[in-house]
C-alpha cells in the first residue's frame, strides 16, 4: 500500500445497502475535474450482494471497499475505519446518498492554498438524484420550498461539505465517537473548531445533500422514528461541545440549542409520559445551566420566553403550557378561517358522533367526476339493492345522477359531516389527508388502472407530488380494507408498491363492465354519446388519451401539458374520414385553445367517464397511460405515441413491463408516423394480432362484465355476514 499523503484527497463514504443512491455518489466522483483523489467506501454490514455489486463497479479512480467488523456499526465506526485506511493529504466525508458538483474537489483544493486546515463549501439539500437535479431539480426543489443552503441547527455542525487537512486531524487526535448514532458529527466538528486551525470557506454550492423520499423502506437516520433517542443524544452532545468551544462558536452553539429545544424537545414533552419525560427534563435542565445569559437574551421572543419557563418548571408544566398555547392558536384559526372551522368540527364534533351503518361515500378522481369503478359500483348497488343504502357522492360540480344520491362538494361542511359518519368509503385514488379512519369504517380502494408506470414505493424520484408522498401512500394503504386488482400482474405490483396487507379482490375492474354490454345496449350507449358530443355519423373516431409528465406541473396534482402532436398535419391527413378526441389526464390543470381545429378536434378532457369514450372510438392513441389496458377489452387497434420514451422510462418514471416486447401496437415518434399508421390500420392489425391475443389474455383475462357483482358480493356480503 502507498504511504499516507500519496494522493491529494481521500473521499470517505459510509455505506449500508442504499444501492439506489450509491451509483450517483460514485459517478459524481467519476466526473470530478480534479483527478488526484481516492475513494474509500466502508460497508456497514451491507451483505454479500451489496459488496459484490460495489466491487464490480467500474471506475477510473482508486476505489477501496472495506467492511466494518461484526462487533461495530454506525456512521462513526465506518468513518473511523475509512480514516485509518485512507492516504490522502486531505479528507472529505461524503454520505452515500449525496453527490458532489463536478468541480468540488478542484475548487476546495484551490481554497486550501497555504496552511488552511479546514476548508468548507456551500451545501444544498435536494430531493433528487443527479439526472433530475441537473435537468430541472433546482426548480422542482424551489416549488417544494425545500431548496437553499442548509441552515437547520443540526446541519450547522455537520462535517459534510468540509475538507480537512489530515495532519491537523492527527495533531488533534480527532476521531468520531462511536457511541453516537444520530449526531455523530457534532462532537467531532467541535473538536476540529476547538483546535483553532485556520479555516477558509467558499459560499459556492459544491455539495448536494440528498434527502430521502422513502422513510418507510429506506429511512435516513433523521427519519427513523426515535425522537426520544435523538433528543437524549443531542443533549449529551451539547454538554460535550460546551466543554470544547469558546467565543463565537460557543454563542452559535447556544443559539442552535435554543432553536432545537423550541422545535423538538418542547413539543416532545406534550406526548411524552412518565419517568422518561422527567429523565429527559433532568438532562435538559443540566444543559440550561450551561446556556449563556447573553445568548438567551438575543433569542427570539417566543424562544426566550419558552426556554426561561422550561428552566423553572417540570415536564408536565411545559406540556401544559404548550397545549394551552396550541388551543388558543387553534381557536384563532377557527375564528379567522372557514377551512379551519370545518376541520375543527370534523375532528372534535362529527368524528365523535355515531357511525351511520347504512351510508356509503363515493369519490372518483378527487371529486372531479362521476366515473370509473366507484360509478359502476354505485349503479350496481342502486339497481340490485334499492333503498338498502344511503349514497353520498363527492362531486365538485353539480350533476344529476341516474339513481338517488346526495351530491356534495369536496371540503364543504357536509363533506366533513359525512366522511366522519359514513361506514363505507369507495374511492379510486388515495383518501384525503384529513381523513381519520374510525373503528368500524370500511375502506374500499378501487384504484384506477393497471400500472405501466412505476407507482408509489416503487418510484425512484418523486417529482409530481410532495416529496414525502411515499410515506403518505403507505399510511393511506394501511387503512384500506379492500383493494381491487384487474389482473394478476396488477395484484403482484399492488402488494409490493403499496406494501398492502389487506384483502386483495381479484375481480377485474367494475369500470370495465360497461365494455361488455350486450350489442343492443352498447349500440344505444354509443349513439347517445356520439349525439351528445356532436360527432357526424359518417366519421370514424380516434381517441387520443396521453398521460401527464412528472416534471411538467404548476403544483402537486396540477400539471401543464405540452401537445407534441401536430394537429394541422393530423387534420389535413385524416380529417376527411376521422375526428380526433383529445382526453388529457385529470391532473392536467390548463385548458388548451383548440378552436382552430373545430370540426375535427373535440376536447373531451372534461367528459365524465372515459369508458363511454372507449365505446365510441374506432382507434386509441396513447403513450404511457393505463387506458390501453382497459381499451384492449374491446380488441380494437391501438397506436402508441411515445415521442419522449427514453426520458420517461429512464428519468421520469420507469416501467413495469418491456413496452417494445409487449405492446399490442406500434410505438411511434412523429405525427407523420401516426398518419401513416392510421392509413394502414388493416396491415398493423394483422402484424400485431398474435401480440394482441397474448396481451389480452394476460391483462384482460379476468374481465367479463361481472366485476361489480363480484366486488359487491365480497365486500358487502362479507360485511353483512360479520354483522350477523
Amino acid at each position: 500500500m502507498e504511504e499516507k499523503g500519496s494522493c491529494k484527497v481521500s473521499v470517505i463514504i459510509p455505506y449500508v445497502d442504499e444501492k439506489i443512491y450509491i451509483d450517483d455518489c460514485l459517478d459524481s466522483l467519476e466526473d470530478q475535474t480534479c483527478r488526484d483523489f481516492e475513494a474509500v467506501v466502508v460497508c456497514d454490514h451491507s451483505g454479500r450482494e451489496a459488496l459484490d455489486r460495489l466491487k464490480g463497479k467500474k471506475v477510473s479512480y482508486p476505489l477501496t471497499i472495506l467492511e466494518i467488523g461484526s462487533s461495530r456499526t454506525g456512521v462513526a465506526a465506518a468513518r473511523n475505519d475509512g480514516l485509518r485506511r485512507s492516504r490522502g493529504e486531505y479528507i472529505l466525508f461524503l454520505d452515500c446518498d449525496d453527490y458532489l458538483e463536478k468541480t468540488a474537489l478542484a475548487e476546495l483544493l484551490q481554497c486550501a492554498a497555504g496552511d488552511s486546515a479546514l476548508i468548507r463549501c456551500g451545501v444544498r439539500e435536494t430531493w433528487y438524484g443527479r439526472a433530475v437535479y441537473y435537468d430541472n431539480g433546482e426548480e422542482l426543489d424551489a416549488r417544494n420550498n425545500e431548496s437553499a443552503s442548509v441552515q437547520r441547527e443540526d446541519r450547522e455542525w455537520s462535517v459534510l461539505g468540509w475538507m480537512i487537512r489530515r495532519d491537523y486531524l492527527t495533531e488533534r487526535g480527532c476521531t468520531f465517537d462511536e457511541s453516537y448514532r444520530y449526531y455523530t458529527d457534532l462532537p467531532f466538528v467541535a473538536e476540529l473548531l476547538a483546535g483553532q486551525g485556520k479555516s477558509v470557506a467558499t459560499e459556492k454550492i459544491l455539495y448536494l445533500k440528498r434527502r430521502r423520499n422513502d422513510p418507510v423502506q429506506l429511512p435516513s437516520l433523521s427519519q427513523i422514528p426515535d425522537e426520544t433517542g435523538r433528543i437524549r443524544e443531542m443533549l449529551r452532545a451539547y454538554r460535550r461541545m460546551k466543554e470544547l468551544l469558546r467565543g463565537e462558536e460557543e454563542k452559535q452553539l447556544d443559539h442552535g440549542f435554543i432553536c432545537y429545544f423550541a422545535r423538538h424537545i418542547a413539543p416532545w414533552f406534550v406526548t411524552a409520559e412518565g419517568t422518561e419525560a422527567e429523565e429527559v427534563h433532568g438532562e435538559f435542565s443540566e444543559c440550561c445551566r450551561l446556556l449563556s445569559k447573553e445568548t438567551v437574551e438575543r433569542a427570539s421572543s417566543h424562544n426566550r420566553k419558552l426556554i426561561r419557563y422550561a428552566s423553572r418548571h417540570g415536564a408536565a408544566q411545559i406540556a401544559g403550557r404548550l397545549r394551552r398555547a396550541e388551543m388558543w392558536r387553534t381557536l384563532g384559526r377557527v375564528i379567522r378561517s372557514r377551512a379551519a372551522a370545518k376541520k375543527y368540527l370534523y375532528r372534535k364534533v362529527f368524528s365523535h358522533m355515531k357511525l351511520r351503518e347504512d351510508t356509503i361515500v363515493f369519490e372518483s378522481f378527487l371529486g372531479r367526476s362521476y366515473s370509473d369503478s366507484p360509478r359502476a359500483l354505485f349503479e350496481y348497488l342502486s339497481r340490485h339493492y334499492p333503498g338498502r343504502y344511503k349514497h353520498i357522492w363527492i362531486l365538485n360540480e353539480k350533476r344529476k345522477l341516474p339513481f338517488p344520491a346526495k351530491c356534495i362538494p369536496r371540503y364543504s361542511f357536509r363533506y366533513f359531516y359525512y366522511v366522519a359518519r359514513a361506514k363505507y368509503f369507495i374511492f379510486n385514488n388515495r383518501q384525503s389527508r384529513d381523513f381519520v379512519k374510525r373503528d368500524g369504517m370500511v375502506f374500499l380502494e378501487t384504484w384506477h388502472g393497471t400500472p405501466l408506470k412505476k407507482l408509489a414505493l416503487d418510484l425512484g424520484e418523486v417529482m409530481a407530488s410532495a416529496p414525502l408522498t411515499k410515506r403518505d401512500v403507505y399510511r393511506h394503504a394501511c387503512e384500506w380494507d379492500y383493494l381491487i386488482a384487474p389482473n394478476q400482474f396488477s395484484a403482484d405490483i399492488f402488494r409490493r408498491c403499496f406494501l398492502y396487507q389487506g384483502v386483495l379482490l381479484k375481480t377485474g375492474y367494475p369500470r370495465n363492465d360497461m365494455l361488455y354490454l350486450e350489442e343492443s345496449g352498447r349500440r344505444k350507449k354509443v349513439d347517445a354519446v356520439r349525439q351528445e358530443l356532436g360527432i357526424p355519423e359518417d366519421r370514424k373516431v380516434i381517441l387520443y388519451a396521453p398521460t401527464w409528465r412528472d416534471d411538467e406541473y404548476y403544483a402537486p396534482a396540477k400539471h401543464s401539458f405540452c401537445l407534441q402532436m401536430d394537429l394541422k398535419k393530423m387534420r389535413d391527413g385524416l380529417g376527411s374520414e376521422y375526428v380526433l378526441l383529445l382526453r388529457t389526464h385529470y391532473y392536467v390543470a390548463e385548458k388548451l385553445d383548440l378552436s382552430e381545429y373545430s370540426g375535427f378536434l373535440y376536447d373531451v378532457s372534461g367528459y365524465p367517464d372515459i369508458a363511454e369514450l372507449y365505446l365510441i372510438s374506432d382507434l386509441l392513441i396513447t403513450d404511457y397511460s393505463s387506458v390501453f389496458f382497459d381499451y384492449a377489452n374491446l380488441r380494437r387497434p391501438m397506436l402508441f405515441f411515445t415521442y419522449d420514451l427514453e426520458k420517461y422510462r429512464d428519468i421520469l418514471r420507469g416501467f413495469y413491463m418491456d413496452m417494445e416486447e409487449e405492446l399490442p401496437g406500434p410505438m411511434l415518434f412523429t405525427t407523420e408516423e401516426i398518419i401513416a399508421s392510421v392509413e394502414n390500420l388493416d396491415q398493423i392489425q394483422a402484424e400485431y394480432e398474435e401480440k394482441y391475443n397474448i396481451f389480452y389474455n394476460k391483462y384482460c383475462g379476468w374481465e367479463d362484465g361481472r366485476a361489480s357483482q363480484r366486488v359487491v358480493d365480497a365486500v358487502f356480503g362479507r360485511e353483512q355476514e360479520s354483522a350477523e
Side-chain angles (χ1 to χ4, degrees):
M1 178 179 288
E2 298 180 61
E3 295 298 321
K4 305 282 188 183
S6 57
C7 70
K8 204 68 177 174
V9 185
S10 292
V11 181
I12 297 174
I13 307 168
Y15 177 75
V16 181
D17 191 12
E18 299 93 340
K19 59 186 176 183
I20 67 171
Y21 302 118
I22 191 65
D23 283 343
D24 264 6
C25 180
L26 296 179
D27 289 347
S28 77
L29 297 180
E30 188 71 61
D31 292 341
Q32 290 299 303
T33 56
C34 166
R35 306 307 298 172
D36 192 7
F37 72 92
E38 66 167 352
V40 181
V41 179
V42 188
C43 299
D44 184 0
H45 307 290
S46 304
R48 179 51 50 191
E49 182 182 346
L51 286 169
D52 290 344
R53 184 174 181 276
L54 275 175
K55 290 175 180 178
K57 177 78 173 175
K58 302 297 183 184
V59 296
S60 63
Y61 52 85
L63 174 62
T64 303
I65 311 296
L66 306 177
E67 293 183 69
I68 292 180
S70 59
S71 62
R72 298 161 61 241
T73 188
V75 173
R79 287 176 175 167
N80 285 338
D81 282 5
L83 280 170
R84 282 189 284 270
R85 288 288 300 273
S86 62
R87 53 194 176 85
E89 181 182 345
Y90 290 92
I91 303 295
L92 184 141
F93 297 102
L94 177 63
D95 280 355
C96 67
D97 43 8
D98 302 342
Y99 48 95
L100 302 176
E101 291 281 6
K102 294 179 181 181
T103 60
L105 297 183
E107 295 198 38
L108 284 168
L109 285 171
Q110 187 175 2
C111 291
D115 59 349
S116 302
L118 307 171
I119 305 95
R120 193 171 192 180
C121 68
V123 179
R124 171 169 290 162
E125 290 192 339
T126 180
W127 289 102
Y128 307 108
R130 294 174 76 224
V132 173
Y133 180 80
Y134 290 125
D135 183 27
N136 58 1
E138 288 190 67
E139 181 182 352
L140 293 170
D141 277 323
R143 291 177 187 174
N144 292 315
N145 294 318
E146 295 291 350
S147 181
S149 295
V150 181
Q151 294 179 344
R152 296 201 309 269
E153 67 280 347
D154 54 335
R155 290 286 184 223
E156 290 174 355
W157 300 93
S158 171
V159 76
L160 302 179
W162 289 48
M163 191 171 73
I164 309 159
R165 205 174 66 232
R166 177 185 293 278
D167 59 12
Y168 181 71
L169 284 174
T170 304
E171 174 189 319
R172 294 286 302 159
C174 291
T175 58
F176 290 89
D177 185 337
E178 297 183 17
S179 67
Y180 285 85
R181 182 185 186 190
Y182 303 110
Y183 295 116
T184 300
D185 289 12
L186 272 60
F188 181 82
V189 170
E191 289 274 5
L192 293 179
L193 295 175
Q196 302 298 308
K198 184 178 178 182
S199 176
V200 294
T202 172
E203 295 299 317
K204 191 168 183 179
I205 304 296
L206 299 175
Y207 189 108
L208 282 305
K209 175 66 185 169
R210 187 174 179 184
R211 301 186 69 183
R212 299 197 187 181
N213 63 20
D214 188 355
V216 178
Q217 298 182 108
L218 197 58
S220 64
L221 282 174
S222 63
Q223 293 169 331
I224 293 172
D226 182 18
E227 191 68 4
T228 304
R230 265 190 293 276
I231 287 172
R232 300 191 81 157
E233 193 167 284
M234 172 61 82
L235 294 171
R236 177 160 65 97
Y238 173 76
R239 293 194 296 271
R240 172 59 182 152
M241 294 168 77
K242 283 291 286 189
E243 295 173 3
L244 296 167
L245 296 175
R246 296 294 180 268
E248 287 302 314
E249 283 87 3
E250 184 180 11
K251 292 177 183 177
Q252 185 181 2
L253 172 65
D254 285 349
H255 173 74
F257 177 79
I258 292 171
C259 292
Y260 185 92
F261 170 75
R263 251 180 235 177
H264 300 283
I265 302 177
W268 177 84
F269 283 129
V270 175
T271 56
E273 296 179 355
T275 57
E276 190 172 58
E278 293 304 326
E279 288 173 2
V280 170
H281 185 268
E283 295 172 25
F284 161 72
S285 297
E286 288 182 39
C287 295
C288 269
R289 288 191 286 271
L290 301 176
L291 279 170
S292 71
K293 293 181 180 179
E294 179 185 355
T295 309
V296 174
E297 289 297 327
R298 287 166 49 194
S300 67
S301 175
H302 169 76
N303 287 358
R304 184 171 63 250
K305 291 176 181 177
L306 186 58
I307 200 80
R308 284 176 173 171
Y309 182 88
S311 65
R312 298 192 298 266
H313 296 83
Q317 287 81 9
I318 298 171
R321 178 188 173 101
L322 290 176
R323 289 192 190 98
R324 290 190 295 274
E326 179 58 29
M327 179 186 70
W328 285 109
R329 281 194 295 270
T330 300
L331 182 60
R333 288 194 295 268
V334 168
I335 292 171
R336 293 190 303 270
S337 166
R338 282 176 62 87
K342 294 172 191 175
K343 293 177 183 179
Y344 183 82
L345 286 172
Y346 169 68
R347 294 192 306 269
K348 300 297 183 180
V349 180
F350 302 152
S351 292
H352 295 278
M353 300 172 73
K354 185 178 179 181
L355 282 181
R356 298 175 61 156
E357 299 284 333
D358 62 348
T359 300
I360 309 173
V361 170
F362 299 85
E363 183 180 84
S364 180
F365 298 116
L366 311 178
R368 291 186 174 102
S369 64
Y370 170 69
S371 63
D372 210 71
S373 292
R375 169 187 174 174
L377 292 168
F378 162 69
E379 293 183 357
Y380 182 89
L381 284 163
S382 297
R383 288 192 190 96
H384 293 84
Y385 301 95
R388 179 177 296 186
Y389 299 101
K390 294 180 180 177
H391 302 303
I392 310 297
W393 259 97
I394 308 301
L395 284 170
N396 297 333
E397 295 182 1
K398 288 186 178 181
R399 178 184 173 90
K400 183 176 175 60
L401 302 186
F403 297 100
K406 284 186 178 180
C407 295
I408 57 177
R410 209 166 192 245
Y411 295 134
S412 63
F413 275 106
R414 288 188 299 162
Y415 167 86
F416 284 105
Y417 174 79
Y418 283 110
V419 299
R421 299 200 61 195
K423 177 173 182 175
Y424 299 100
F425 295 84
I426 299 177
F427 42 81
N428 70 346
N429 210 312
R430 291 189 289 124
Q431 59 269 41
S432 166
R433 288 182 180 180
D434 298 308
F435 254 147
V436 177
K437 186 179 182 184
R438 298 172 59 187
D439 290 344
M441 285 182 169
V442 177
F443 282 9
L444 167 58
E445 170 63 71
T446 70
W447 203 241
H448 51 269
T450 293
L452 165 67
K453 302 168 290 189
K454 292 289 182 71
L455 277 178
L457 279 83
D458 283 346
L459 276 172
E461 308 282 8
V462 177
M463 286 180 276
S465 305
L468 289 175
T469 292
K470 292 184 182 183
R471 175 198 63 192
D472 296 337
V473 166
Y474 173 70
R475 288 177 179 174
H476 289 158
C478 287
E479 294 185 335
W480 302 342
D481 297 284
Y482 303 95
L483 171 62
I484 295 176
N487 43 60
Q488 189 61 50
F489 172 81
S490 299
D492 295 339
I493 290 171
F494 288 166
R495 281 290 188 200
R496 183 181 70 247
C497 77
F498 296 126
L499 294 183
Y500 181 65
Q501 300 298 317
V503 178
L504 196 67
L505 300 177
K506 299 181 178 182
T507 57
Y509 273 144
R511 69 183 187 185
N512 289 334
D513 289 351
M514 184 185 299
L515 306 181
Y516 288 87
L517 289 171
E518 294 181 359
E519 184 57 34
S520 60
R522 180 185 297 190
R523 187 70 258 167
K524 183 178 180 181
K525 175 71 73 174
V526 167
D527 291 343
V529 175
R530 288 182 68 109
Q531 184 176 358
E532 181 180 350
L533 294 176
I535 298 173
E537 293 183 4
D538 62 339
R539 300 292 178 86
K540 295 178 183 178
V541 176
I542 300 172
L543 173 61
Y544 178 39
T547 192
W548 49 281
R549 268 64 178 165
D550 296 67
D551 61 342
E552 298 176 2
Y553 73 105
Y554 306 113
K558 291 186 178 180
H559 286 257
S560 59
F561 179 71
C562 183
L563 190 63
Q564 298 294 322
M565 183 183 288
D566 189 324
L567 296 178
K568 184 177 186 303
K569 288 182 179 179
M570 290 287 289
R571 181 184 60 189
D572 294 346
L574 303 171
S576 61
E577 186 178 357
Y578 290 92
V579 296
L580 180 67
L581 309 185
L582 173 63
R583 172 76 171 200
T584 58
H585 192 275
Y586 72 96
Y587 273 0
V588 174
E590 63 188 322
K591 299 296 182 184
L592 303 175
D593 182 6
L594 305 169
S595 56
E596 179 183 351
Y597 305 99
S598 178
F600 169 69
L601 180 65
Y602 295 73
D603 186 355
V604 293
S605 301
Y607 193 83
D609 200 332
I610 195 173
E612 295 181 351
L613 302 178
Y614 297 155
L615 287 176
I616 69 169
S617 300
D618 300 283
L619 165 68
L620 172 70
I621 302 175
T622 186
D623 44 22
Y624 322 110
S625 171
S626 64
V627 297
F628 67 85
F629 292 101
D630 298 325
Y631 193 79
N633 284 283
L634 296 171
R635 292 183 175 270
R636 296 174 187 171
M638 294 186 283
L639 306 176
F640 298 87
F641 186 31
T642 53
Y643 56 86
D644 57 350
L645 174 65
E646 290 186 3
K647 180 179 181 181
Y648 203 97
R649 178 190 59 208
D650 301 333
I651 297 178
L652 295 183
R653 271 294 183 110
F655 302 133
Y656 286 116
M657 61 182 280
D658 186 334
M659 294 184 69
E660 288 90 342
E661 291 295 321
E662 288 199 61
L663 288 185
M667 299 174 70
L668 310 173
F669 301 92
T670 67
T671 301
E672 289 81 3
E673 289 180 331
I674 294 173
I675 294 170
S677 296
V678 174
E679 291 173 341
N680 294 280
L681 272 185
D682 290 342
Q683 178 183 336
I684 286 174
Q685 283 186 276
E687 181 182 345
Y688 281 88
E689 182 178 7
E690 183 178 353
K691 269 194 174 183
Y692 209 130
N693 289 334
I694 294 171
F695 185 90
Y696 179 89
N697 291 332
K698 180 176 181 179
Y699 297 106
C700 306
W702 293 356
E703 308 280 16
D704 59 3
R706 295 193 294 273
S708 296
Q709 176 185 339
R710 289 191 287 271
V711 171
V712 168
D713 288 348
V715 176
F716 293 89
R718 189 174 301 183
E719 292 300 318
Q720 293 296 333
E721 291 173 8
S722 299
E724 293 172 3

